[in-house]
Amino acid sequence: MADLERELRELSAWLETPEPPDVTAQVRARLATPARSSRTVGRRRRRWRYAVAALLSALLVATLPPGRAALADAMAGLLRVAGITISTAPDPSPPTAPPSPLPAQRPADLNEARRLVRFPVRVPAALGPPDRVLVADPDGAGGHRVATLLYRGGQIRLDAFDGRLDGVFFKQVGGSGAQWMEIGGRQAVWIAGPHPVSYVDRDGVVREESARLAAATLIWEQGGVTYRLEGELTKDEAVEIASTLR
Protein backbone atom coordinates (compact mmCIF):
# COMPACT_ATOMS: atom_id res chain seq x y z
CA MET A 1 0.00 0.00 0.00
CA ALA A 2 2.81 2.39 0.88
CA ASP A 3 4.60 1.54 -2.38
CA LEU A 4 1.46 2.21 -4.41
CA GLU A 5 0.86 5.54 -2.65
CA ARG A 6 4.46 6.58 -3.31
CA GLU A 7 4.17 5.65 -6.98
CA LEU A 8 0.97 7.70 -7.34
CA ARG A 9 2.65 10.70 -5.75
CA GLU A 10 5.58 10.37 -8.15
CA LEU A 11 3.13 10.16 -11.04
CA SER A 12 1.67 13.54 -10.05
CA ALA A 13 4.85 15.15 -11.37
CA TRP A 14 3.53 14.44 -14.87
CA LEU A 15 0.61 16.81 -14.17
CA GLU A 16 2.72 19.89 -13.39
CA THR A 17 2.03 22.78 -15.79
CA PRO A 18 3.85 26.08 -16.42
CA GLU A 19 2.45 29.44 -15.42
CA PRO A 20 -0.39 30.48 -17.77
CA PRO A 21 0.60 32.98 -20.49
CA ASP A 22 -1.04 36.37 -20.96
CA VAL A 23 -3.94 35.63 -23.32
CA THR A 24 -5.67 39.03 -23.13
CA ALA A 25 -5.22 39.75 -26.83
CA GLN A 26 -6.52 36.33 -27.89
CA VAL A 27 -9.60 36.70 -25.68
CA ARG A 28 -10.45 40.12 -27.13
CA ALA A 29 -10.11 38.74 -30.66
CA ARG A 30 -12.32 35.81 -29.79
CA LEU A 31 -15.03 38.08 -28.40
CA ALA A 32 -15.06 39.98 -31.66
CA THR A 33 -15.95 36.79 -33.64
CA PRO A 34 -19.31 34.94 -33.66
CA ALA A 35 -19.62 32.47 -30.79
CA ARG A 36 -19.67 28.76 -31.57
CA SER A 37 -22.62 26.72 -30.40
CA SER A 38 -22.48 25.35 -26.83
CA ARG A 39 -22.94 21.84 -28.25
CA THR A 40 -19.73 22.09 -30.30
CA VAL A 41 -17.78 23.43 -27.35
CA GLY A 42 -19.13 20.67 -25.09
CA ARG A 43 -18.08 17.94 -27.52
CA ARG A 44 -14.55 19.31 -27.75
CA ARG A 45 -14.24 19.56 -23.99
CA ARG A 46 -15.42 15.97 -23.54
CA ARG A 47 -12.92 14.73 -26.12
CA TRP A 48 -10.14 16.59 -24.29
CA ARG A 49 -11.13 15.05 -20.93
CA TYR A 50 -11.24 11.54 -22.40
CA ALA A 51 -7.78 11.99 -23.91
CA VAL A 52 -6.32 13.16 -20.61
CA ALA A 53 -7.95 10.26 -18.72
CA ALA A 54 -6.56 7.73 -21.19
CA LEU A 55 -3.09 9.27 -20.94
CA LEU A 56 -3.12 9.18 -17.13
CA SER A 57 -4.28 5.54 -17.12
CA ALA A 58 -1.47 4.56 -19.49
CA LEU A 59 1.11 6.39 -17.37
CA LEU A 60 -0.16 4.72 -14.17
CA VAL A 61 0.07 1.22 -15.63
CA ALA A 62 3.53 1.96 -17.07
CA THR A 63 4.91 3.12 -13.72
CA LEU A 64 3.63 0.21 -11.62
CA PRO A 65 5.84 -2.85 -10.96
CA PRO A 66 5.18 -5.97 -13.09
CA GLY A 67 1.72 -7.36 -12.47
CA ARG A 68 0.76 -4.75 -9.86
CA ALA A 69 -1.86 -3.16 -12.09
CA ALA A 70 -3.67 -6.52 -12.34
CA LEU A 71 -3.64 -7.14 -8.59
CA ALA A 72 -6.45 -5.01 -7.24
CA ASP A 73 -6.51 -7.12 -4.07
CA ALA A 74 -3.20 -5.53 -3.06
CA MET A 75 -5.22 -2.55 -1.82
CA ALA A 76 -6.80 -4.89 0.75
CA GLY A 77 -3.51 -6.50 1.76
CA LEU A 78 -3.84 -9.56 -0.50
CA LEU A 79 -1.73 -10.62 -3.46
CA ARG A 80 -2.75 -13.51 -5.71
CA VAL A 81 0.05 -15.10 -7.69
CA ALA A 82 -0.72 -18.13 -9.88
CA GLY A 83 -2.61 -20.17 -7.31
CA ILE A 84 -0.92 -18.73 -4.21
CA THR A 85 -2.58 -16.08 -2.03
CA ILE A 86 -0.30 -13.88 0.06
CA SER A 87 -1.68 -11.86 2.96
CA THR A 88 0.43 -8.83 3.85
CA ALA A 89 -1.07 -8.36 7.31
CA PRO A 90 1.23 -6.34 9.62
CA ASP A 91 1.48 -9.05 12.28
CA PRO A 92 1.04 -12.59 10.90
CA SER A 93 0.22 -15.14 13.57
CA PRO A 94 2.73 -18.02 13.66
CA PRO A 95 1.23 -21.53 13.75
CA THR A 96 1.11 -23.09 17.19
CA ALA A 97 0.26 -26.74 16.47
CA PRO A 98 2.49 -29.31 14.72
CA PRO A 99 1.63 -29.26 11.00
CA SER A 100 -0.02 -32.21 9.31
CA PRO A 101 1.02 -33.30 5.80
CA LEU A 102 -0.93 -32.24 2.74
CA PRO A 103 -4.08 -34.30 2.04
CA ALA A 104 -3.31 -37.94 1.12
CA GLN A 105 0.37 -37.13 0.71
CA ARG A 106 2.57 -40.10 -0.11
CA PRO A 107 6.05 -40.81 -1.49
CA ALA A 108 6.66 -41.66 -5.13
CA ASP A 109 9.65 -41.88 -7.41
CA LEU A 110 10.13 -39.13 -9.98
CA ASN A 111 8.78 -41.11 -12.95
CA GLU A 112 5.72 -42.19 -11.00
CA ALA A 113 5.08 -38.62 -9.87
CA ARG A 114 5.16 -37.47 -13.49
CA ARG A 115 2.44 -40.01 -14.28
CA LEU A 116 0.30 -39.07 -11.28
CA VAL A 117 0.03 -35.33 -11.94
CA ARG A 118 -1.47 -33.49 -14.90
CA PHE A 119 1.39 -31.03 -15.43
CA PRO A 120 5.11 -31.34 -16.24
CA VAL A 121 7.38 -32.04 -13.25
CA ARG A 122 10.67 -30.28 -13.98
CA VAL A 123 13.92 -30.66 -12.04
CA PRO A 124 16.38 -27.80 -11.44
CA ALA A 125 19.75 -28.76 -12.90
CA ALA A 126 21.47 -26.77 -10.15
CA LEU A 127 20.16 -29.28 -7.57
CA GLY A 128 20.05 -32.46 -9.62
CA PRO A 129 17.81 -35.46 -8.86
CA PRO A 130 15.73 -34.99 -5.68
CA ASP A 131 16.37 -36.99 -2.50
CA ARG A 132 12.63 -37.66 -2.14
CA VAL A 133 9.48 -37.00 -4.15
CA LEU A 134 5.98 -36.61 -2.69
CA VAL A 135 2.56 -36.33 -4.35
CA ALA A 136 -0.58 -35.09 -2.60
CA ASP A 137 -4.33 -34.44 -2.83
CA PRO A 138 -5.59 -36.81 -5.57
CA ASP A 139 -8.93 -36.24 -7.25
CA GLY A 140 -11.50 -38.91 -8.02
CA ALA A 141 -9.62 -39.96 -11.15
CA GLY A 142 -6.28 -40.30 -9.33
CA GLY A 143 -4.74 -37.08 -10.63
CA HIS A 144 -2.67 -35.60 -7.81
CA ARG A 145 -2.75 -31.85 -7.25
CA VAL A 146 0.76 -31.18 -5.88
CA ALA A 147 4.20 -32.67 -6.51
CA THR A 148 7.01 -31.93 -4.03
CA LEU A 149 10.74 -32.43 -4.61
CA LEU A 150 12.93 -32.54 -1.48
CA TYR A 151 16.69 -31.86 -1.34
CA ARG A 152 19.44 -31.81 1.29
CA GLY A 153 17.54 -33.88 3.79
CA GLY A 154 14.37 -31.84 3.31
CA GLN A 155 16.03 -28.47 3.92
CA ILE A 156 15.14 -27.38 0.38
CA ARG A 157 11.62 -27.97 -0.91
CA LEU A 158 10.23 -27.39 -4.40
CA ASP A 159 6.43 -27.59 -4.66
CA ALA A 160 4.85 -27.69 -8.13
CA PHE A 161 1.20 -27.49 -9.16
CA ASP A 162 -1.03 -26.32 -11.99
CA GLY A 163 -0.74 -22.52 -11.97
CA ARG A 164 -4.25 -22.13 -13.36
CA LEU A 165 -5.84 -23.45 -10.16
CA ASP A 166 -7.72 -20.95 -8.02
CA GLY A 167 -5.80 -21.54 -4.81
CA VAL A 168 -3.34 -24.09 -3.42
CA PHE A 169 -1.30 -22.28 -0.76
CA PHE A 170 -2.03 -19.37 1.57
CA LYS A 171 0.89 -17.35 2.95
CA GLN A 172 1.13 -14.60 5.55
CA VAL A 173 3.96 -12.08 5.41
CA GLY A 174 4.46 -8.96 7.48
CA GLY A 175 4.30 -5.53 5.85
CA SER A 176 6.35 -5.33 2.67
CA GLY A 177 7.77 -8.85 3.01
CA ALA A 178 6.71 -9.84 -0.53
CA GLN A 179 9.06 -8.44 -3.17
CA TRP A 180 8.21 -8.41 -6.89
CA MET A 181 10.94 -9.44 -9.31
CA GLU A 182 11.47 -11.25 -12.63
CA ILE A 183 13.04 -14.57 -13.60
CA GLY A 184 13.83 -14.83 -17.29
CA GLY A 185 11.20 -12.22 -18.10
CA ARG A 186 8.56 -13.98 -15.98
CA GLN A 187 6.93 -12.38 -12.95
CA ALA A 188 8.06 -13.79 -9.58
CA VAL A 189 7.71 -13.04 -5.87
CA TRP A 190 10.45 -13.34 -3.25
CA ILE A 191 9.63 -13.68 0.46
CA ALA A 192 12.86 -13.17 2.38
CA GLY A 193 12.02 -14.42 5.87
CA PRO A 194 10.12 -17.16 7.70
CA HIS A 195 6.35 -16.90 7.32
CA PRO A 196 3.23 -19.04 7.97
CA VAL A 197 1.99 -21.10 5.04
CA SER A 198 -1.18 -23.23 4.85
CA TYR A 199 -2.75 -25.50 2.25
CA VAL A 200 -5.99 -24.48 0.52
CA ASP A 201 -8.22 -27.48 -0.23
CA ARG A 202 -10.30 -28.02 -3.36
CA ASP A 203 -13.28 -26.23 -1.77
CA GLY A 204 -11.19 -23.11 -1.23
CA VAL A 205 -10.92 -23.61 2.55
CA VAL A 206 -7.60 -22.83 4.24
CA ARG A 207 -6.64 -25.98 6.16
CA GLU A 208 -5.38 -24.73 9.51
CA GLU A 209 -4.03 -28.16 10.42
CA SER A 210 -1.52 -27.90 7.57
CA ALA A 211 -0.19 -24.51 8.75
CA ARG A 212 3.57 -24.39 9.33
CA LEU A 213 6.38 -21.86 9.40
CA ALA A 214 7.98 -21.74 5.95
CA ALA A 215 11.52 -20.58 5.24
CA ALA A 216 12.45 -17.97 2.64
CA THR A 217 10.52 -18.70 -0.55
CA LEU A 218 10.65 -17.86 -4.25
CA ILE A 219 7.39 -18.16 -6.22
CA TRP A 220 7.16 -18.12 -10.00
CA GLU A 221 5.20 -19.60 -12.91
CA GLN A 222 6.71 -21.34 -15.89
CA GLY A 223 4.85 -23.06 -18.70
CA GLY A 224 1.54 -22.97 -16.81
CA VAL A 225 3.06 -24.58 -13.69
CA THR A 226 3.57 -22.69 -10.42
CA TYR A 227 6.72 -23.38 -8.42
CA ARG A 228 7.36 -22.62 -4.75
CA LEU A 229 11.06 -22.98 -3.87
CA GLU A 230 11.60 -22.90 -0.10
CA GLY A 231 14.69 -23.25 2.04
CA GLU A 232 17.64 -21.59 3.73
CA LEU A 233 18.58 -19.77 0.54
CA THR A 234 19.48 -16.23 -0.40
CA LYS A 235 17.51 -14.54 -3.15
CA ASP A 236 20.41 -14.90 -5.58
CA GLU A 237 20.76 -18.62 -4.81
CA ALA A 238 17.02 -19.17 -5.27
CA VAL A 239 17.00 -17.30 -8.59
CA GLU A 240 19.98 -19.31 -9.83
CA ILE A 241 18.21 -22.57 -8.97
CA ALA A 242 14.98 -21.43 -10.61
CA SER A 243 16.80 -20.43 -13.80
CA THR A 244 18.07 -24.01 -14.27
CA LEU A 245 14.64 -25.66 -14.19
CA ARG A 246 14.43 -28.23 -16.96
Side-chain angles (χ1 to χ4, degrees):
M1 183 66 181
D3 292 341
L4 182 58
E5 182 178 353
R6 185 182 68 254
E7 290 157 1
L8 290 173
R9 289 182 182 276
E10 293 173 353
L11 181 60
S12 67
W14 289 86
L15 303 178
E16 293 179 359
T17 58
E19 292 296 324
D22 185 357
V23 294
T24 304
Q26 290 92 329
V27 171
R28 287 175 177 171
R30 179 64 57 85
L31 292 175
T33 61
R36 290 171 296 178
S37 70
S38 60
R39 179 177 300 178
T40 301
V41 173
R43 283 199 300 266
R44 292 189 176 181
R45 286 178 177 173
R46 283 195 296 272
R47 286 198 295 267
W48 181 83
R49 286 198 295 267
Y50 296 155
V52 170
L55 175 61
L56 289 177
S57 298
L59 289 173
L60 179 59
V61 171
T63 57
L64 292 176
R68 180 74 65 83
L71 294 169
D73 286 329
M75 299 293 291
L78 290 177
L79 305 175
R80 288 190 170 89
V81 185
I84 295 180
T85 300
I86 303 173
S87 169
T88 56
D91 298 307
S93 301
T96 56
S100 64
L102 301 187
Q105 180 175 282
R106 70 175 183 84
D109 62 43
L110 187 57
N111 290 331
E112 182 185 12
R114 284 171 168 156
R115 294 194 302 268
L116 291 174
V117 300
R118 296 190 175 94
F119 52 85
V121 177
R122 301 182 179 93
V123 174
L127 295 176
D131 300 336
R132 296 181 63 206
V133 180
L134 305 171
V135 292
D137 202 358
D139 58 21
H144 288 65
R145 199 175 183 216
V146 181
T148 300
L149 311 184
L150 299 174
Y151 297 88
R152 301 178 188 173
Q155 294 183 10
I156 295 180
R157 172 181 182 134
L158 179 62
D159 291 315
F161 59 90
D162 188 339
R164 295 165 296 184
L165 298 176
D166 289 338
V168 179
F169 288 100
F170 176 76
K171 290 174 170 287
Q172 296 174 275
V173 299
S176 58
Q179 175 186 347
W180 289 102
M181 56 182 301
E182 286 189 358
I183 299 176
R186 296 181 295 272
Q187 179 179 309
V189 175
W190 168 250
I191 302 175
H195 56 281
V197 59
S198 305
Y199 186 73
V200 182
D201 65 21
R202 294 177 184 273
D203 295 325
V205 177
V206 178
R207 299 178 67 110
E208 296 296 338
E209 69 276 11
S210 69
R212 62 181 179 85
L213 197 63
T217 301
L218 180 65
I219 302 165
W220 77 101
E221 185 178 356
Q222 181 174 336
V225 180
T226 296
Y227 296 93
R228 203 189 68 85
L229 177 63
E230 174 194 336
E232 297 300 324
L233 301 166
T234 66
K235 180 172 66 174
D236 290 343
E237 289 172 336
V239 170
E240 181 181 358
I241 291 171
S243 64
T244 67
L245 201 65
R246 300 289 184 268

